[in-house]
């Protein structure tokens, strides 16, 4: 089904409620979840009742039921550690969000509160789990197409000036004259990369690998705002996740850009380690999975792609990850240090299980009285620039600080 990007054309050709309804199973019997016994039978019954209400055209009653489903499953999602939440409760939450969106958009034409519906959709995508062949992603795409007809034209002159100003602001770069540089290669063959970097676990900057990606020409702060501005995302608040005052907050991409990229806030906001490209496929079309990922054991769908978007000065403390990582720089520059896993003792990892993969040391301002061995630990460093891709081997310690407004894409693979 073709969906116009202009609201009036979309509404004229395919009313919003009809476009959404076309995504659903034809019968209510097909629209059900196979849930484990861990989900209360009363909730299973409520899901069936809500579905019956929707297919029976009793929208207002279905809306009440869907809100009850969302509220009850939300409590389950926020009880205990996240990794211990049963996936079926996440699916129940997604189902509730789906029904709520359908009910909100059942009103004809302008009466449908599409921004509110899209926020509900994003909450389902962020907190829930896939149901009905990822139907919520398809619903969100239709809502965003519908809203695109309401997108404003070019930003006002004052905002345009702010965007240009944001691009020119920089954080100070360190003196790297005495530091060993990360080696660089231009489009190495798969075999060469495997033999000289993947197997021996040696970091390298790959040049010429990502230059042809559409994002390298298309993406800017303004473009991200136009494409993703109405979407709700989790934003980290605080200079780094190891700080006591660090927290997270949900907000739209537009709110994030306005406050933390263009504004002058007291704290730092960072859209970090977020699977934005699953949420907004339109952006995913502008990037490519590096060919070198085929050297791993998994399939393409096993690769985790994350977005990292923030102002100058955002910091990822020295830490290590269990998977191989390609970090592609799209906007701005980042200063990066890399330490071998063999240096772990000199990097003083936290003793707590939650932060066992993170160093206690403030890399660029170390307390050498508390951490004397850190000064002796050898490292590689670089400033990663747009179009460059850094290979970070699994368990390689890395520290990252943005020097400019920055957008990076990471690919975690096994």
């Amino acid at each position: 089904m073709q969906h116009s990007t202009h609201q009036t054309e979309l509404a004229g050709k395919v009313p919003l409620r009809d476009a959404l309804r076309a995504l659903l199973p034809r019968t209510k019997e097909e629209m059900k979840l196979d849930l484990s016994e861990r989900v209360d039978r009363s909730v299973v019954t409520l899901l069936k009742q809500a579905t019956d209400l929707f297919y029976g055209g009793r929208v207002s009653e279905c809306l009440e039921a869907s809100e009850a489903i969302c509220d009850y499953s939300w409590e389950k999602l926020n009880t205990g550690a996240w990794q211990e939440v049963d996936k079926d409760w996440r699916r129940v939450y997604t189902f509730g969000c789906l029904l709520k969106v359908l009910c909100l958009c059942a009103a004809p034409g302008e009466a449908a509160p599409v921004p509110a519906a899209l926020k509900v959709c994003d909450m389902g995508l962020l907190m829930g789990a896939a149901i009905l062949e990822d139907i919520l992603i398809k619903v969100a795409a239709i809502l965003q197409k519908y809203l695109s007809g309401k997108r404003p034209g070019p930003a006002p002159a004052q905002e345009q000036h702010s965007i240009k100003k944001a691009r020119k602001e920089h954080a100070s770069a360190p003196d790297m004259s005495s530091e060993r540089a990360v080696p660089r290669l231009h489009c190495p063959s798969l075999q060469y990369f495997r033999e000289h970097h993947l197997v021996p676990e040696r970091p390298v900057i790959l040049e010429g690998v990502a230059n042809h990606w559409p994002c390298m020409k298309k993406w800017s702060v303004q473009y991200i705002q136009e494409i993703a501005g109405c979407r709700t995302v989790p934003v980290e608040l605080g200079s780094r996740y190891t700080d006591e005052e660090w927290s997270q907050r949900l907000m739209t991409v537009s709110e994030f850009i306005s406050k933390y990229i263009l504004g002058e806030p007291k704290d730092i906001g960072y859209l970090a380690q977020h699977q934005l490209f699953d949420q907004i496929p339109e952006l995913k079309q502008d990037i490519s999975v590096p060919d070198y990922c085929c050297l791993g054991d998994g399939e393409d769908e096993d690769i985790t792609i994350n977005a990292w978007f923030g102002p100058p000065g955002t910091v990822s403390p020295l830490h290590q990850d269990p998977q191989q990582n390609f970090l592609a720089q799209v906007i701005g520059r980042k200063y990066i240090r890399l330490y071998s896993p063999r240096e772990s003792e000199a990097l003083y990892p936290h003793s707590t299980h939650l932060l066992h993969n993170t160093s206690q040391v403030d890399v660029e301002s170390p307390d050498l009285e508390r951490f004397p061995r850190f000064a002796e630990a050898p490292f590689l460093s670089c400033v990663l620039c747009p179009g460059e891709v850094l290979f970070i081997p699994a368990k390689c310690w890395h520290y990252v600080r943005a020097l400019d407004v920055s957008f990076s894409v990471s690919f975690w693979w096994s």
Side-chain angles (χ1 to χ4, degrees):
M1 184 182 296
Q2 296 292 322
H3 301 289
S4 169
T5 57
H6 192 276
Q7 178 198 349
T8 54
E9 290 178 1
L10 178 65
K13 291 181 180 179
V14 184
L16 177 60
R17 55 183 177 178
D18 293 344
L20 296 178
R21 188 68 182 258
L23 297 174
L24 302 177
R26 290 189 196 176
T27 66
K28 63 184 181 183
E29 287 75 21
E30 296 173 85
M31 189 162 160
K32 79 173 210 178
L33 301 179
D34 293 320
L35 300 168
S36 70
E37 294 183 357
R38 294 182 183 178
V39 175
D40 306 353
R41 292 302 94 187
S42 59
V43 174
V44 175
T45 301
L46 184 57
L47 288 171
K48 183 180 182 305
Q49 290 173 346
T51 303
D52 290 346
L53 289 169
F54 179 77
Y55 276 84
R58 297 159 68 181
V59 174
S60 60
E61 294 170 77
C62 178
L63 180 59
E64 286 186 21
S66 67
E67 289 176 336
I69 293 167
C70 289
D71 290 345
Y72 190 82
S73 54
W74 179 261
E75 292 299 320
K76 294 290 185 180
L77 300 187
N78 288 278
T79 301
W82 175 251
Q83 59 266 30
E84 294 172 5
V85 174
D86 192 278
K87 190 173 182 180
D88 274 352
W89 277 114
R90 294 176 60 197
R91 294 172 70 218
V92 168
Y93 181 72
T94 301
F95 197 93
C97 289
L98 172 62
L99 286 176
K100 184 173 180 178
V101 168
L102 293 170
C103 292
L104 289 172
C105 295
E110 289 292 325
V114 180
L118 187 54
K119 183 172 183 178
V120 173
C121 218
D122 279 331
M123 291 302 297
L125 290 170
L126 292 170
M127 302 296 291
I131 61 168
L132 303 173
E133 300 179 346
D134 279 325
I135 190 172
L136 219 49
I137 290 178
K138 300 167 188 173
V139 169
I142 287 177
L143 294 177
Q144 189 159 348
K145 289 264 187 184
Y146 189 92
L147 275 179
S148 67
K150 292 185 175 182
R151 273 186 201 154
Q158 186 177 0
E159 189 169 320
Q160 291 273 18
H161 175 72
S162 296
I163 290 173
K164 290 177 181 177
K165 181 184 175 186
R167 287 178 183 156
K168 292 178 181 177
E169 289 179 357
H170 310 288
S172 59
D175 179 7
M176 300 171 61
S177 57
S178 62
E179 300 179 1
R180 286 179 57 212
V182 178
R184 294 171 175 266
L185 287 173
H186 184 82
C187 297
S189 68
L190 292 174
Q191 182 179 352
Y192 187 93
F193 173 78
R194 184 181 184 281
E195 291 179 3
H196 293 84
H197 293 280
L198 180 59
V199 173
E201 300 177 336
R202 291 180 185 146
V204 64
I205 293 173
L206 302 176
E207 299 174 340
V209 171
N211 300 60
H212 64 285
W213 295 357
C215 62
M216 296 300 171
K217 291 184 177 179
K218 290 169 64 176
W219 288 10
S220 63
V221 172
Q222 186 174 345
Y223 181 78
I224 299 298
Q225 188 161 14
E226 288 173 0
I227 298 298
C230 57
R231 305 304 295 272
T232 298
V233 293
V235 173
E236 296 183 0
L237 303 179
S239 57
R240 55 194 77 196
Y241 65 76
T242 49
D243 292 350
E244 286 187 11
E245 67 272 15
W246 181 89
S247 64
Q248 284 186 304
R249 195 184 132 209
L250 293 170
M251 64 182 73
T252 65
V253 172
S254 281
E255 290 171 331
F256 167 69
I257 289 175
S258 177
K259 183 169 183 180
Y260 294 102
I261 301 294
L262 305 181
E264 297 181 0
K266 294 179 181 178
D267 54 350
I268 289 180
Y270 195 12
L271 202 172
Q273 196 177 321
H274 177 51
Q275 294 179 32
L276 184 69
F277 307 102
D278 290 341
Q279 194 178 356
I280 309 175
E282 191 172 353
L283 288 176
K284 194 172 186 177
Q285 296 170 6
D286 293 339
I287 61 175
S288 300
V289 174
D291 292 342
Y292 306 97
C293 291
C294 75
L295 298 171
D297 298 327
E299 303 295 327
D300 271 7
E301 55 266 25
D302 299 322
I303 298 170
T304 301
I305 306 176
N306 282 320
W308 309 77
F309 180 32
T314 56
V315 170
S316 292
L318 186 61
H319 69 286
Q320 57 179 185
D321 298 309
Q323 291 182 294
Q324 315 284 4
N325 182 6
F326 283 119
L327 182 65
Q329 194 65 17
V330 182
I331 298 172
R333 303 166 301 149
K334 281 184 168 174
Y335 170 67
I336 301 172
R337 277 203 203 178
L338 303 164
Y339 293 79
S340 166
R342 294 187 294 274
E343 305 299 329
S344 292
E345 286 190 15
L347 305 183
Y348 302 89
H350 283 269
S351 56
T352 61
H353 175 71
L354 188 63
L355 292 174
H356 71 280
N357 70 329
T358 303
S359 168
Q360 300 178 64
V361 182
D362 183 346
V363 167
E364 295 189 77
S365 183
D367 183 341
L368 296 180
E369 289 189 7
R370 288 183 63 200
F371 311 115
R373 294 182 60 189
F374 178 74
E376 302 167 7
F379 62 88
L380 298 175
S381 68
C382 68
V383 171
L384 197 66
C385 298
E388 298 176 345
V389 179
L390 173 64
F391 169 58
I392 305 175
K395 297 188 178 179
C396 175
W397 293 86
H398 48 289
Y399 164 86
V400 185
R401 177 167 65 87
L403 302 179
D404 314 305
V405 170
S406 170
F407 199 118
S408 314
V409 182
S410 64
F411 302 83
W412 290 343
W413 54 289
S414 298

